[in-house]
Amino acid sequence: MLRSLVGSEMCIRDRYQRRVRGKLEDMATFQAQNSPSAVRVQVRETPKLAVSQDQVTQTSSTAHRRHTYGIHTCLWVDLLINIIFDYGWNKVGYIGVTLGFQLLLVFVWLTLVYQILKQTYPFRTGLLGLLMHDFRHLIVSAFMYLLFLLMFRIEQQINLSKHGETNVSTDLWYHSFDYLVLICHKLSMIWFYIELSNFSFAVSSPMYFKQDGWLERLTQ
């Protein structure tokens, strides 16, 4: 009888231990499956087409060609305005409209030059000092042309208002200061046209679209 009691007690104890071990194994498996190290996230990236340097250069050259056409078109329009409206016009309103239109052309020029320069490697990397050094003559000529353009047109309006819009007001041969301003305006105009044309062709060089050689220029 004693043996039967001991045997039944051992059976109960073994059954309880197996149940406990099963619970512990289930808990360990659950923790292992839900731990941060066991969680795997798969990120699928959309394949991107590699953009070659040739494609970038081709895109830049196409935009540069359009901007160059715009620069030369504005140059010819401004030249015709300077030829037509510098002599023989005795209306203050005409001179005022002419000045406003020429200032608009200057703004268009600046916009086109900026659009060209922002595609170059020095501009994109912040090497603006090197660009200003390369095209310093364009900057000075543009400032001189704008200065004498304003002086000449304003002097025209003053003379027209002073003389009542007569032929005397536009006859610059009898006004030494006006004649001097006219000569300076023409010289600055020719200089600016030359520098602007040279810029449109010089900036198309491949050196401005590649990083080769710019580090050496910084260390010189």
Side-chain angles (χ1 to χ4, degrees):
M1 183 177 180
L2 182 60
R3 289 182 178 178
S4 61
L5 291 174
V6 173
S8 60
E9 183 179 356
M10 292 178 65
C11 290
I12 294 172
R13 184 187 63 186
D14 294 340
R15 190 182 304 115
Y16 177 75
Q17 289 179 351
R18 286 195 300 270
R19 186 179 300 174
V20 172
R21 282 197 300 269
K23 294 291 184 180
L24 292 176
E25 291 177 356
D26 293 340
M27 291 178 62
T29 304
F30 178 79
Q31 291 179 356
Q33 292 177 351
N34 292 273
S35 62
S37 60
V39 178
R40 297 180 179 178
V41 179
Q42 294 182 354
V43 179
R44 295 183 178 180
E45 297 183 355
T46 303
K48 299 179 180 180
L49 296 177
V51 180
S52 63
Q53 184 66 29
D54 294 337
Q55 293 175 342
V56 175
T57 304
Q58 183 178 2
T59 303
S60 301
S61 63
T62 303
H64 173 76
R65 191 180 302 111
R66 293 198 304 266
H67 297 148
T68 302
Y69 289 154
I71 287 177
H72 288 278
T73 301
C74 293
L75 189 150
W76 283 104
V77 172
D78 188 71
L79 178 61
L80 290 176
I81 291 176
N82 285 323
I83 293 175
I84 296 173
F85 289 94
D86 283 359
Y87 312 99
W89 291 91
N90 300 316
K91 299 293 184 181
V92 177
Y94 290 165
I95 303 301
V97 172
T98 301
L99 175 59
F101 191 77
Q102 287 188 290
L103 292 178
L104 178 62
L105 287 177
V106 172
F107 175 77
V108 173
W109 270 325
L110 293 176
T111 303
L112 293 174
V113 169
Y114 171 77
Q115 293 295 328
I116 291 177
L117 289 178
K118 78 174 187 178
Q119 301 171 6
T120 61
Y121 176 80
F123 189 93
R124 289 185 282 109
T125 54
L127 303 178
L128 300 181
L130 295 178
L131 285 177
M132 294 179 65
H133 179 269
D134 288 349
F135 303 110
R136 60 190 182 276
H137 298 296
L138 174 63
I139 298 174
V140 177
S141 63
F143 175 77
M144 297 299 293
Y145 174 64
L146 181 60
L147 174 64
F148 287 112
L149 173 65
L150 291 173
M151 291 179 62
F152 178 62
R153 296 301 181 199
I154 293 175
E155 190 66 21
Q156 275 186 312
Q157 291 183 326
I158 292 175
N159 289 333
L160 288 172
S161 301
K162 185 185 299 183
H163 296 279
E165 299 185 353
T166 61
N167 290 332
V168 178
S169 62
T170 57
D171 192 356
L172 300 178
W173 299 103
Y174 295 98
H175 300 81
S176 58
F177 178 75
D178 296 346
Y179 181 68
L180 179 62
V181 173
L182 174 65
I183 295 300
C184 293
H185 172 250
K186 297 307 177 186
L187 292 177
S188 63
M189 178 191 72
I190 296 174
W191 185 25
F192 175 64
Y193 287 172
I194 293 175
E195 293 296 335
L196 189 62
S197 299
N198 292 337
F199 163 81
S200 63
F201 295 112
V203 78
S204 61
S205 174
M207 64 172 291
Y208 288 102
F209 299 94
K210 299 179 181 180
Q211 62 180 356
D212 301 336
W214 293 103
L215 182 59
E216 289 76 4
R217 292 189 58 180
L218 285 175
T219 56
Q220 289 178 355

